[in-house]
Amino acid sequence: MSHNDEKRFELLFRDNYPRLYHYALDWVEDEDQAKDIVGSLMSDLWDQRSTWHPENETAYMFGALRNRCINHLKKKIREREILNEYLEEKISMIDEDIDSHEENLKRLERIMQTLPPKTR
């Protein structure tokens, strides 16, 4: 890639970054995540700059950014599902602990009832 091509590529990013950032922000609703996603896209495209020659560079960047935002949201949904599964399991374990604790108390109470009053 020539110096002119690198300069053109830098201008393409600089000119589109604000729009790309706001587009990502609309999708992910988190400023840091939007910056990370756009930064990652730009970095990947920069690494591919010698072979990256889409017909419409801007449309390609927005399409690739859309896909990355969707993947990010799918990952977040999966993380929430895993966290919900974990919490449900934890709640059921706590409920089991309460039940077994109450059962143990009843058993101790039955044992205590068999003891003479002074020993109790």
Side-chain angles (χ1 to χ4, degrees), residues 1 4-5 9 15-16 23 33-34 38 47 56 63 72 76 87 91 95-96 100 104-105 108-109 115:
M1 179 176 263
N4 286 343
D5 285 341
F9 202 80
D15 291 348
N16 286 287
Y23 183 75
Q33 289 298 318
V38 173
D47 291 342
N56 182 331
H72 170 79
K76 298 273 293 179
L87 290 175
I91 287 168
D95 287 345
E96 285 174 14
S100 68
N104 288 337
L105 286 176
L108 285 173
E109 195 173 305
L115 296 173

Side-chain angles (χ1 to χ4, degrees), residues 74-99:
K74 285 179 180 178
K75 182 181 173 192
K76 298 273 293 179
I77 288 168
R78 184 64 192 132
E79 288 171 356
R80 285 188 184 140
E81 287 171 351
I82 291 169
L83 180 59
N84 283 340
E85 288 173 24
Y86 169 79
L87 290 175
E88 285 174 16
E89 185 64 29
K90 189 158 183 108
I91 287 168
S92 85
M93 288 173 70
I94 289 170
D95 287 345
E96 285 174 14
D97 286 348
I98 288 170
D99 290 343

Side-chain angles (χ1 to χ4, degrees), residues 38-61:
V38 173
S40 171
L41 170 66
M42 290 182 160
S43 176
D44 289 349
L45 293 178
W46 176 255
D47 291 342
Q48 301 166 15
R49 68 189 177 279
S50 61
T51 57
W52 187 67
H53 301 291
E55 200 169 297
N56 182 331
E57 293 167 334
T58 303
Y60 179 93
M61 286 192 303

